[in-house]
Amino acid sequence: MFSAGAESLLHQAREIQDEELKKFCSRISKLLQAEDLGPDTLDSLQRLFLIISATKYNRRLEKTCVDLLQATLGMAACPEQLQVLCAAILREMSPSDSLSLVWDHTQNSRQLSLVASVLFAQTRPPCSASGWLTGCAMLASSKGSRTPAASSPRPGPGSLGPSTHPRLSFPQPGPITEVDGAVATDFFTVLSTGHRFTEDQWLNVQAFSMLRAWLLHSGPEGLGILDTDDRSEQEGSTLSVISATSSAGRLLPPRERLREVAFEYCQRLIEQSNRRALRKGDSDLQKACLVEAVLVLDVLCRQDPSFLYRSLSCLKTLHGRVRGDPASVRVLLPLARFFLSHGEAAAVDSEAVYQHLFTRIPLEQFHSPMLAFEFVQFCRDNLHLFGGHLGTLRLSFPNLFKFLAWNSPPLTSEFVALLPALVDAGTALEMLHALLDLPCLTAVLDLQLRSLPASSERPLWDTSLRAPSCLEAFRDPKFQGLFQYLLRPKASGATERLVPLYQLLQPMAGCARVAQCAEAVPTLLQTFFSAVTQVADGALINQLALLLLGRSDSLYPAPGYAARVHSVLSSQFLALCTLKPSLVVELARDLLEFLGSVNGLRSRASLVTSVVSPQGGHCADDHTDEAGLPEPRPDPQVPGRGGREASWLSWGRDVASEVFPSRCLEMMAAAQGLSVAVKDEDPDSESSHQLHAQQGGCGSHLHPGHGAADPAEDAQCGPVCAHTQHGGVQPPISPRCQHGPAPGLAHGQPAGGEGGRPPAGMKGQRPGTPVQMKRVRESWERRQGPGWAWHPQRPMGLAPAHPLGFVSEPFSPRQR
Amino acid sequence: MVHAFLIHTLRAPNTEDTGLCRVLYSCVFGAEKSPDDPRPHGAERDRLLRKEQILAVARQVESMCRLQQQASGRPPMDLQPQSSDEQVPLHEAPRGAFRLAAENPFQEPRTVVWLGVFSLGFALVLDAHENLLLAEGTLRLLARLLLDHLRLLAPGTNLLLRADRIEGILTRFLPHGQLLFLNDQFVQGLEKELSAAWPR
């Protein structure tokens, strides 16, 4: 369909040189001048169209050629193929200053229409008027372009009304039927069929197609370009026929008459849509007509509330009919909008409508891309109408997330716009869990589709993936509770740990749809946090901080997902701390537990860094605020502070280059601040005694007064051991330090607590070797110059002014 | 109202990214309010902008289609249909919709409805609050008419030099970008007219 030959053709059209184009135009000019309207001209014009349209840059055509194109367009005898090509070429050139088309009353309707199409591209009418002008052009073009009929009514809204009843207007070649084959007994509409259609029927179709735009433009909110007098005159003349034959027999002003006709037309369509269409195309059209009818009724009721009570009963009946029909689900959305707009005025209880809409539909139809888009658009565009039902919308976020989990590429931006409205303090924690679990939800939705009877010919799930074990797990009663929780339609107020599901569903973690969802989550998390911080009080902020730390090692194992999420969570954690600085104090114990329990440190480096860096920012030397909490402010009174920081950073870089990736460096350096402060809490704690009792190469160093210990030796001990050096007993953070191999992290530090200890329990790191540590120390000392020793020491200025007693510098090499 | 209709190439997913997304045909119905531009080459710039807007839509549609195909696990699209008489089941073809925010790339917010048929993408750029059911139906109809009347399934044919026929279809079934409520009977009648004006 698009072959190499076509690619070459496109290339040639783009690359044609001006000289060659000039010659080509001359050739065309000659053909047109000679009024040669045969195949050569057709072929040449097709090529010219391609040349003009293939490039985004302007092509200069000779004025003669342009004039001839315009003239050919106006020729009465010109075949349609050539006329459309001339118009298309002129349109493709637009906007251009070289066109000078004329709207000439002598042109036939097809020509008028083509000229209009060029003019619309050329001029820049205001958007609101373009539709109106389009309508006029269309109707003008249709007049006389179809099968000629005797004295057709003037085009316009008048074509809609009962005067187009077949028996009253024109002789018909056969009866008019409904879409189910029954003979029609009421006026003609777009859902009426016949053996052939006539001029007025064609106008009827066009008029209804433009009806909503007309109503909007003629209403108080419309930006009609006609002044009131002109509009009334036009409406009056076209409707004068109608008003005379109106079944209601009343004479109304034109605008009101238009609305009355529109109302009757919509009611007729709603009735006609209840018939079982014989053809698929007509069945599809019925649903489109229902949507349009409801939209038109909505406009009418807004313009004239007297239509409200007349519309309600038929729309309530319609709602009852379509809610049971999955094929008509998209009609529910304009209906819901109607009830949102007008339900209160009509004292209608719409709660049942929304319950059904938000509870059932997403569960059953999340996989339909068009419905998903329309549903989310409905939520987004009608937020201002939800009023008291906003709570229903908010509680339904688990169901709304199903659309997102299944169709993330087109819906991510929609949800970025919608999410702030869904965020609520009461459900924030549950929502955050749900966002983090979106990729898992995608996998579960796939399983759900596999396990249900197929609703369409083509399978809706990922056909490239077979996951028999996952399907088994989905059907296993043991896990029903967890699956049902994930698939819940509404916020439940409770959270469930879904870790067992992550393992069970691991085979599906790599599938494309899950990956697409996983890519969207970071953006949604950012949006969530922006919104939740507007409504969260102090307690909720604390809970959010703990939640995001807690979930950091509890994520569905989609490839790359954890890394992306950690990156967002770490920056959001810092943001929460900035928003509420007392968070680190209030959650101190929890934060320490987090650090103590950190497994696979490398993978969560960013998060750990963000946890400890706020602590590092609180210095015991700093001033405290009125509440006695530290203010993270540089303290110029601490001498040599800048130098110490520089030294620390330099040391840190050395270590990193030798032993650890840079992320771990940041984390480790920051962690030093944390552990120093913690040790101050209880130098005589049990853990310190345990430390003293420890054997295996560490004990020999565990006494005060130890001098400039060789860190290389210390490196063989656990992190705790490495720092129980000169400057006093440095108890570990937690007794866990005596377990297992020492995290290598610790061994990057100077022995003896300068800058404190890395948190105990940091497992899984390869310890730095003695040789490496010696190299680092030597390089560091070289850099510092004479007088600087690698000497473990308590940082200067440390005073346990508050429970944590953090310091800004992790360590201070003591100058000899 | 339809602001624009376009046909563009769709490259198969999971293949080497050779070549670019090509817009094979586009028709813009009416002009957007352009930003105030007192510079003398305003008209040319408007045209350039319009072309770039259409290309941006084509690329976005291609991306959405590819992602949908990947997500459904279908094998890379057959670039050529099996036979030229094959009835393409358009109801099963990949399709979707997405919104374009204001000034990205159009001045006003727009909605795009798209349909993928083998290696061709068809898209309608709509005003923000259109009847999407009608738009979807119209797009399917246009795709079917183009496939039939241009014999796009036959090997070796292309639509680059068939603009007249495309224009003929559009003037009847989407005149000036107006979506029409056409039942089957009307569609057949208009098709007969088309075939009379453009014998195959």
Side-chain angles (χ1 to χ4, degrees):
Chain A
M1 294 165 93
F2 185 65
S3 57
E7 176 76 42
S8 157
L9 195 57
L10 206 53
H11 181 76
Q12 284 174 46
R14 286 192 171 149
E15 299 301 312
I16 187 170
Q17 299 299 310
D18 287 346
E19 234 354 89
E20 211 180 321
L21 180 59
K22 210 168 154 183
K23 283 186 203 158
F24 188 51
C25 283
S26 304
R27 186 162 161 265
I28 291 176
S29 301
K30 286 199 184 81
L31 290 168
L32 293 177
Q33 262 163 350
E35 293 186 11
D36 178 351
L37 305 173
D40 278 347
T41 311
L42 180 66
D43 181 72
S44 302
L45 289 179
Q46 282 172 337
R47 287 176 193 281
L48 183 61
F49 175 81
L50 180 62
I51 290 167
I52 305 285
S53 64
T55 172
K56 59 186 179 183
Y57 301 109
N58 260 34
R59 289 284 194 187
R60 298 232 173 274
L61 296 187
E62 295 288 307
K63 188 169 185 321
T64 327
C65 188
V66 175
D67 291 344
L68 282 165
L69 287 170
Q70 293 176 124
T72 308
L73 182 54
M75 274 171 63
C78 186
E80 188 183 347
Q81 290 104 313
L82 293 181
Q83 279 183 329
V84 300
L85 274 174
C86 291
I89 291 166
L90 294 170
R91 195 188 67 229
E92 270 297 313
M93 286 172 55
S94 300
S96 164
D97 300 322
S98 57
L99 296 187
S100 56
L101 277 172
V102 172
W103 187 289
D104 184 345
H105 69 281
T106 62
Q107 293 163 338
N108 68 35
S109 56
R110 185 173 64 218
Q111 287 163 324
L112 283 173
S113 175
L114 292 172
V115 167
S117 70
V118 180
L119 286 176
F120 289 152
Q122 174 73 347
T123 59
R124 300 169 204 176
C127 296
S128 58
S130 63
W132 190 90
L133 283 173
T134 301
C136 291
M138 218 174 76
L139 290 175
S141 71
S142 67
K143 193 179 156 201
S145 65
R146 304 267 97 74
T147 320
S151 61
S152 56
R154 290 227 349 235
S159 320
L160 294 174
S163 74
T164 58
H165 192 289
R167 287 202 292 276
L168 294 180
S169 55
F170 312 103
Q172 295 298 313
I176 301 295
T177 55
E178 304 287 354
V179 291
D180 60 359
V183 175
T185 54
D186 207 341
F187 64 87
F188 185 91
T189 70
V190 294
L191 286 176
S192 306
T193 62
H195 186 61
R196 277 171 36 190
F197 61 91
T198 61
E199 181 69 26
D200 68 324
Q201 289 164 355
W202 175 236
L203 292 171
N204 187 302
V205 168
Q206 291 178 314
F208 177 71
S209 300
M210 291 185 284
L211 179 62
R212 188 155 50 98
W214 272 333
L215 287 172
L216 285 168
H217 283 125
S218 70
E221 65 268 23
L223 302 172
I225 63 166
L226 291 183
D227 63 31
T228 324
D229 290 340
D230 286 341
R231 199 182 308 132
S232 301
E233 191 188 308
Q234 204 224 6
E235 286 170 346
S237 61
T238 55
L239 290 168
S240 58
V241 174
I242 311 309
S243 54
T245 58
S246 155
S247 53
R250 46 180 197 273
L251 284 166
L252 290 170
R255 186 173 309 168
E256 282 67 22
R257 187 61 194 146
L258 171 63
R259 290 175 185 157
E260 186 63 35
V261 167
F263 179 78
E264 288 175 14
Y265 202 104
C266 290
Q267 287 207 305
R268 172 106 168 94
L269 284 181
I270 291 173
E271 177 270 319
Q272 285 176 302
S273 298
N274 206 8
R275 296 169 181 272
R276 189 182 297 274
L278 296 175
R279 303 172 200 226
K280 175 88 171 87
D282 291 343
S283 173
D284 291 343
L285 186 68
Q286 280 176 311
K287 298 178 182 52
C289 286
L290 276 178
V291 168
E292 190 72 12
V294 175
L295 291 173
V296 168
L297 289 173
D298 188 15
V299 172
L300 290 175
C301 292
R302 275 188 272 139
Q303 291 181 347
D304 183 352
S306 71
F307 283 108
L308 187 54
Y309 106 89
R310 294 163 72 190
S311 311
L312 272 174
S313 61
C314 91
L315 287 181
K316 278 201 271 194
T317 313
L318 176 63
H319 180 261
R321 212 174 86 208
V322 300
R323 62 180 273 170
D325 177 17
S328 302
V329 65
R330 285 168 69 182
V331 183
L332 283 174
L333 293 169
L335 274 171
R337 190 189 192 282
F338 183 93
F339 291 127
L340 263 178
S341 297
H342 308 288
E344 209 174 299
V348 165
D349 178 17
S350 350
E351 189 59 29
V353 173
Y354 307 124
Q355 286 294 341
H356 176 254
L357 192 67
F358 290 111
T359 310
R360 293 280 309 279
I361 305 304
L363 266 175
E364 294 167 3
Q365 308 253 7
F366 62 86
H367 48 79
S368 158
M370 296 300 297
L371 172 71
F373 176 77
E374 281 199 293
F375 199 109
V376 177
Q377 200 180 32
F378 162 82
C379 295
R380 196 186 146 177
D381 291 344
N382 297 303
L383 282 173
H384 61 289
L385 296 175
F386 270 92
H389 301 290
L390 194 57
T392 307
L393 178 68
R394 285 182 170 158
L395 286 176
S396 306
F397 77 78
N399 251 3
L400 294 177
F401 283 2
K402 291 182 176 68
F403 290 126
L404 177 60
W406 195 256
N407 308 281
S408 37
L411 293 186
T412 303
S413 57
E414 299 298 303
F415 268 87
V416 166
L418 179 64
L419 205 55
L422 298 179
V423 167
D424 179 67
T427 51
L429 296 174
E430 196 179 338
M431 185 180 283
L432 181 52
H433 277 295
L435 284 172
L436 291 166
D437 284 325
L438 273 176
C440 188
L441 178 60
T442 308
V444 172
L445 291 173
D446 185 294
L447 288 175
Q448 188 182 48
L449 287 172
R450 284 171 206 260
S451 64
L452 292 174
S455 58
S456 68
E457 281 174 28
R458 267 231 166 117
L460 299 167
W461 56 86
D462 185 341
T463 49
S464 70
L465 181 76
R466 288 180 197 283
S469 64
C470 299
L471 202 50
E472 259 178 55
F474 186 70
R475 291 170 176 151
D476 189 336
K478 265 205 317 281
F479 304 111
Q480 274 312 294
L482 291 181
F483 281 116
Q484 288 311 310
Y485 173 77
L486 196 51
L487 292 171
R488 70 200 182 286
K490 277 182 151 165
S492 68
T495 53
E496 292 272 356
R497 297 288 281 173
L498 298 176
V499 174
L501 290 193
Y502 303 156
Q503 290 158 348
L504 288 170
L505 301 180
Q506 200 276 330
M508 300 182 73
C511 78
R513 204 181 288 273
V514 169
Q516 288 169 15
C517 181
E519 281 208 26
V521 169
T523 309
L524 297 162
L525 288 174
Q526 307 273 21
T527 310
F528 170 81
F529 277 102
S530 300
V532 80
T533 47
Q534 312 287 326
V535 299
D537 61 9
L540 182 56
I541 290 180
N542 285 4
Q543 288 175 301
L544 287 168
L546 289 175
L547 194 164
L548 64 87
L549 293 181
R551 283 299 308 262
S552 63
D553 69 344
S554 180
L555 294 169
Y556 186 51
Y561 182 54
R564 285 198 288 271
V565 167
H566 289 159
S567 176
V568 174
L569 293 186
S570 63
S571 62
Q572 291 303 329
F573 181 84
L574 287 172
L576 289 177
C577 294
T578 308
L579 184 67
K580 189 189 176 202
S582 60
L583 186 153
V584 295
V585 176
E586 291 168 22
L587 299 182
R589 197 147 299 280
D590 302 280
L591 295 177
L592 290 171
E593 266 184 41
F594 165 76
L595 288 172
S597 69
V598 163
N599 288 322
L601 206 52
R602 247 174 244 257
S603 63
R604 289 195 284 164
S606 61
L607 199 53
V608 174
T609 310
S610 68
V611 169
V612 299
S613 58
Q615 280 73 285
H618 290 279
C619 176
D621 296 323
D622 287 347
H623 300 290
T624 56
D625 66 10
E626 284 140 11
L629 295 171
E631 291 176 17
R633 220 170 33 207
D635 188 342
Q637 294 170 15
V638 177
R641 187 172 163 145
R644 285 205 297 274
E645 283 174 345
S647 304
W648 166 64
L649 285 171
S650 151
W651 168 85
R653 269 195 290 273
D654 289 338
V655 171
S657 64
E658 285 292 336
V659 181
F660 302 110
S662 57
R663 292 308 265 306
C664 285
L665 159 70
E666 293 166 42
M667 175 179 55
M668 166 192 65
Q672 289 172 342
L674 175 64
S675 55
V676 163
V678 170
K679 74 163 164 46
D680 286 324
E681 280 188 60
D682 188 359
D684 292 323
S685 69
E686 201 217 0
S687 48
S688 77
H689 292 302
Q690 287 174 333
L691 178 64
H692 284 285
Q694 196 156 10
Q695 301 303 311
C698 295
S700 57
H701 300 289
L702 297 178
H703 53 85
H706 182 86
D710 184 348
E713 290 180 29
D714 295 336
Q716 294 184 36
C717 310
V720 171
C721 307
H723 297 290
T724 53
Q725 295 285 342
H726 178 81
V729 170
Q730 317 291 338
I733 294 173
S734 92
R736 275 179 278 173
C737 67
Q738 55 196 319
H739 305 148
L745 201 59
H747 299 279
Q749 299 182 26
E754 295 241 352
R757 293 100 189 88
M762 280 187 175
K763 300 187 179 59
Q765 297 291 323
R766 182 179 59 82
T769 62
V771 170
Q772 282 173 318
M773 293 314 301
K774 187 171 175 182
R775 255 208 311 274
V776 168
R777 185 193 66 177
E778 284 164 358
S779 132
W780 180 85
E781 284 179 344
R782 263 196 312 276
R783 207 177 295 172
Q784 300 316 311
W788 290 83
W790 179 285
H791 211 51
Q793 193 165 54
R794 285 178 62 165
M796 288 161 61
L798 176 65
H802 62 82
L804 297 177
F806 292 136
V807 298
S808 58
E809 301 91 9
F811 76 95
S812 314
R814 189 182 61 186
Q815 196 147 13
R816 284 189 192 141
Chain B
M1 274 278 322
V2 174
H3 175 73
F5 167 72
L6 56 142
I7 311 173
H8 59 89
T9 54
L10 286 177
R11 289 164 294 165
N14 308 324
T15 56
E16 290 286 318
D17 194 22
T18 54
L20 303 164
C21 177
R22 298 268 185 229
V23 175
L24 301 175
Y25 173 85
S26 69
C27 180
V28 177
F29 303 101
E32 273 205 308
K33 220 168 24 180
S34 65
D36 294 319
D37 188 357
R39 289 182 286 169
H41 296 293
E44 277 186 35
R45 195 167 155 276
D46 282 350
R47 184 178 181 278
L48 178 65
L49 179 62
R50 196 187 295 168
K51 285 291 197 184
E52 286 180 337
Q53 287 168 339
I54 296 295
L55 183 59
V57 171
R59 285 195 190 123
Q60 182 82 326
V61 169
E62 190 191 43
S63 167
M64 291 291 176
C65 187
R66 191 187 303 144
L67 288 169
Q68 199 186 94
Q69 290 290 93
Q70 284 170 345
S72 66
R74 307 245 165 88
M77 280 178 285
D78 296 316
L79 294 185
Q80 293 296 331
Q82 298 304 317
S83 83
S84 57
D85 293 332
E86 188 180 325
Q87 269 299 317
V88 182
L90 289 179
H91 276 88
E92 305 281 344
R95 68 200 183 283
F98 56 87
R99 195 195 300 232
L100 296 169
E103 299 187 21
N104 187 19
F106 297 98
Q107 286 265 297
E108 309 282 326
R110 306 269 179 201
T111 302
V112 175
V113 173
W114 61 267
L115 181 70
V117 184
F118 298 110
S119 62
L120 289 181
F122 301 86
L124 289 174
V125 180
L126 309 163
D127 291 342
H129 298 103
E130 266 299 342
N131 183 331
L132 288 186
L133 259 181
L134 181 66
E136 208 186 326
T138 305
L139 189 60
R140 245 194 326 267
L141 173 64
L142 290 174
R144 202 260 302 159
L145 290 166
L146 289 164
L147 288 169
D148 285 349
H149 288 264
L150 272 72
R151 295 193 180 281
L152 289 177
L153 300 188
T157 57
N158 70 76
L159 46 80
L160 290 176
L161 293 175
R162 320 279 290 285
D164 58 317
R165 218 175 263 259
I166 304 176
E167 296 280 330
I169 290 171
L170 287 179
T171 50
R172 283 165 176 78
F173 293 92
L174 190 64
H176 301 283
Q178 178 65 52
L179 294 169
L180 294 175
F181 289 85
L182 298 172
N183 62 43
D184 252 27
Q185 210 66 27
F186 272 95
V187 169
Q188 281 183 30
L190 289 170
E191 261 197 274
K192 279 193 193 121
E193 261 195 39
L194 179 72
S195 299
W198 268 271
R200 294 199 203 192

